[in-house]
Amino acid sequence: MSKTEVDTVANKHDDRISEKHIPYPSPSDTTTVDFPSSLPTTTTPPSDPFDTPLTPLNEFEDSTNLPQNLTLFQIFTLFFLHFGLHAWGGSVAQIALLKTELVQKRRWITVTRFNRVYAVYQMLPGPEAAEICMFFGCLVGGRWGGIVAGLGFILPGFMAMVLLSYVYTIVGLDNVYFNASFRALQPVVAAMVLRAVFQIGQHVFISSKTKTFNKVLFILAILGALQSALRINYFITLGVFGIFYNFYTRGWRWAAGAVMFLNYTGYILYVIFKGVPSPTSLALGIATVPDMPHLLALGLVAGSLSFGGAYTSIPFIQAEAVILGGWLAKQTFLDGIALGNIIPAPLVIFSTFVGFQGGHTYGEGSLGYAFGGCALITLGMFLPCFIFTIMGHSLLERICRNETMASFFDGITGSVVGIIAITALDILKASVVHLPKPGVVLDGEEWLLLAAQNTLSAVIFVLAFMALNSFRHQYLSVLLVLVAAIAGQFLFV
């Protein structure tokens, strides 16, 4: 072999060595190399080690460790027993359990792939833990596998909430001991919602990659709170802020400014000609009456707009059921959120309680309407995340990586933080400040007793908020609720 041929073969080997350091070569980077005609041609691959096929593992698509031939019943049982019955502690604890069991122990997918999947579902509305269960179900059982996995995860919490809703309705707040426990629970709920504002804000305002603070989204959160205080409809706020941030990230500053200018100009004109909007203007009016179709619609809307976590559905349901509809008392609404924190389920399961109370009210005490109402509102709440997941993760990832859609979702999520903040303050006021019922006249001692009870509620809120910010434990929310319920027997009886 001549010196030229030896150099050519050596260069060929060097190129292969460098290719091993490029796990995902782009088609646009390939080049054509013309080898000297003096090289011998052969159909038998050379036996040297450089000719080993280079097929690097794609850690985003590898499914080699997935179990084969799982039946739908086995998938349902797996997610019911291992995850549905152990879904304590909220979304973070639920997702950590899924990651530990299916990724780290069973190695169904790689950690890198799981993190990317989780990032996609964080951008979409709905409880992320339920969506990830459906994703794994789709991997091992197709679309039907995703459906039964989601049902297995949701059913334990749903059945528990139906039972608690029934007990709550049977006992009633007229029972002094029952009322005392929930009087102590309400400030704890206010602390949880306010804590959620900080958690969601941290996720929204601080980039997970660059760790930089997004000032624009923070300003949108402040403006979202302002719009709620001005009683501008929630859905107008979400739409306007999503469009604004989409234009802003594209560099169309003039268009973004025009959108915001038209938003506030329209509000000023409304105030001039029709007066300041009433609190009911925050709602769409989709559940003014808690019959079956309206409860289903309420669940669909709240489930479709729960960007950033379960707590984002609270303002929308409160606006429709408590403020506009008036068929659910605010204290009862808070009690439902409290119950949602003591059962293994995504927090959005509190909507089951709302549906039960609504159906019970509409049916004038009929348990049939109550069970129908809780089933339909729960179906509506979870149906969007079922649809999103069954669409296929690859399609969802393309949608979320689309800059137009991603920036629109980011603008919505930023405004939601402000909306939740105003809702948290409203819930805090309702949970701490209790006034006598209309027409009831209190004497001096009764006023002092009421003031003392309000002070105790404020102390419970402060202690609960401090605990939520100081400790990290899967069962912390459950422990706070149980301790408050017991303390209520000593403080408010």
Side-chain angles (χ1 to χ4, degrees):
M1 182 180 291
S2 67
K3 183 179 184 301
T4 303
E5 292 173 330
V6 171
D7 291 342
T8 302
V9 174
N11 291 336
K12 180 182 177 184
H13 289 177
D14 291 340
D15 290 340
R16 289 180 184 171
I17 292 173
S18 64
E19 287 175 355
K20 288 191 176 184
H21 297 283
I22 307 175
Y24 304 110
S26 171
S28 62
D29 293 336
T30 58
T31 57
T32 302
V33 178
D34 295 325
F35 294 101
S37 58
S38 58
L39 283 174
T41 58
T42 177
T43 57
T44 303
S47 58
D48 65 77
F50 296 107
D51 284 303
T52 304
L54 302 176
T55 54
L57 174 65
N58 186 345
E59 58 187 342
F60 295 121
E61 300 298 335
D62 176 52
S63 301
T64 55
N65 291 327
L66 288 175
Q68 303 297 321
N69 302 320
L70 282 182
T71 66
L72 294 180
F73 179 74
Q74 288 173 321
I75 296 172
F76 174 84
T77 304
L78 171 66
F79 284 89
F80 184 94
L81 296 178
H82 286 264
F83 304 108
L85 290 177
H86 296 86
W88 305 92
S91 176
V92 174
Q94 294 158 8
I95 292 169
L97 177 64
L98 286 163
K99 184 177 181 179
T100 300
E101 183 66 27
L102 299 181
V103 180
Q104 296 174 342
K105 291 184 179 179
R106 305 194 185 200
R107 300 184 183 278
W108 281 15
I109 62 175
T110 63
V111 174
T112 305
R113 186 181 183 187
F114 177 85
N115 291 339
R116 194 163 82 169
V117 168
Y118 181 38
V120 170
Y121 288 116
Q122 279 185 308
M123 294 182 62
L124 298 173
E128 297 101 331
E131 291 168 334
I132 291 177
C133 284
M134 287 180 249
F135 166 77
F136 279 114
C138 288
L139 287 182
V140 295
R143 288 185 169 87
W144 282 109
I147 292 173
V148 298
L151 290 174
F153 179 73
I154 294 166
L155 274 179
F158 172 75
M159 293 186 295
M161 181 55 86
V162 171
L163 177 61
L164 290 176
S165 300
Y166 174 73
V167 172
Y168 183 95
T169 304
I170 295 300
V171 177
L173 287 178
D174 292 333
N175 185 293
V176 63
Y177 301 102
F178 198 72
N179 183 57
S181 287
F182 279 96
R183 174 70 190 272
L185 285 177
Q186 291 166 5
V188 175
V189 171
M192 291 176 178
V193 177
L194 191 60
R195 170 61 182 160
V197 174
F198 291 93
Q199 290 177 318
I200 298 171
Q202 184 178 20
H203 166 69
V204 173
F205 304 142
I206 301 176
S207 171
S208 59
K209 295 181 179 179
T210 64
K211 303 301 180 182
T212 56
F213 185 79
N214 192 317
K215 298 178 182 179
V216 178
L217 287 179
F218 180 70
I219 293 173
L220 287 184
I222 295 175
L223 293 177
L226 174 64
Q227 300 225 149
S228 297
L230 295 175
R231 299 170 182 172
I232 297 176
N233 186 276
Y234 288 145
F235 302 92
I236 294 176
T237 299
L238 298 179
V240 167
F241 285 23
I243 295 171
F244 168 86
Y245 195 67
N246 178 269
F247 288 165
Y248 183 87
T249 54
R250 287 168 171 250
W252 301 350
R253 306 297 169 84
W254 61 270
V259 168
M260 202 61 73
F261 175 78
L262 291 174
N263 172 58
Y264 288 109
T265 300
Y267 177 78
I268 292 171
L269 292 175
Y270 185 93
V271 171
I272 292 173
F273 291 102
K274 291 193 174 183
V276 177
S278 67
T280 59
S281 62
L282 292 169
L284 277 181
I286 56 177
T288 53
V289 177
D291 57 11
M292 300 300 104
H294 285 94
L295 289 174
L296 175 62
L298 177 58
L300 282 171
V301 172
S304 301
L305 295 173
S306 56
F307 292 91
Y311 281 95
T312 59
S313 60
I314 291 175
F316 306 117
I317 294 181
Q318 178 181 260
E320 299 292 340
V322 178
I323 298 175
L324 180 59
W327 43 267
L328 189 67
K330 184 170 292 185
Q331 277 71 27
T332 304
F333 180 71
L334 295 180
D335 294 343
I337 300 175
L339 292 175
N341 278 281
I342 62 172
I343 58 176
L347 181 61
V348 293
I349 207 70
F350 81 90
S351 62
T352 302
F353 176 87
V354 173
F356 192 99
Q357 300 302 319
H360 190 265
T361 300
Y362 181 78
E364 298 179 348
S366 168
L367 289 178
Y369 275 102
F371 287 118
C374 70
L376 286 175
I377 197 172
T378 307
L379 172 64
M381 180 65 72
F382 285 98
L383 188 59
C385 66
F386 272 89
I387 294 174
F388 283 134
T389 307
I390 292 172
M391 286 169 59
H393 180 75
S394 59
L395 175 60
L396 290 178
E397 190 162 346
R398 287 197 297 271
I399 292 173
C400 292
R401 290 181 180 274
N402 180 282
E403 293 184 1
T404 300
M405 296 298 297
S407 59
F408 182 76
F409 287 154
D410 286 343
I412 289 177
T413 307
S415 64
V416 162
V417 176
I419 291 174
I420 300 175
I422 289 295
T423 304
L425 294 177
D426 182 58
I427 289 175
L428 174 59
K429 178 183 176 182
S431 63
V432 172
V433 181
H434 286 243
L435 298 174
K437 296 180 180 179
V440 177
V441 179
L442 302 181
D443 58 26
E445 290 185 0
E446 290 172 331
W447 273 112
L448 288 175
L449 177 61
L450 183 61
Q453 291 179 338
N454 289 343
T455 302
L456 289 172
S457 296
V459 172
I460 293 173
F461 166 79
V462 172
L463 294 175
F465 189 72
M466 290 174 60
L468 290 167
N469 285 278
S470 301
F471 303 103
R472 297 289 181 272
H473 194 279
Q474 179 180 356
Y475 300 107
L476 179 59
S477 297
V478 180
L479 292 173
L480 286 175
V481 170
L482 292 177
V483 169
I486 295 172
Q489 299 300 306
F490 298 94
L491 299 175
F492 299 112
V493 173

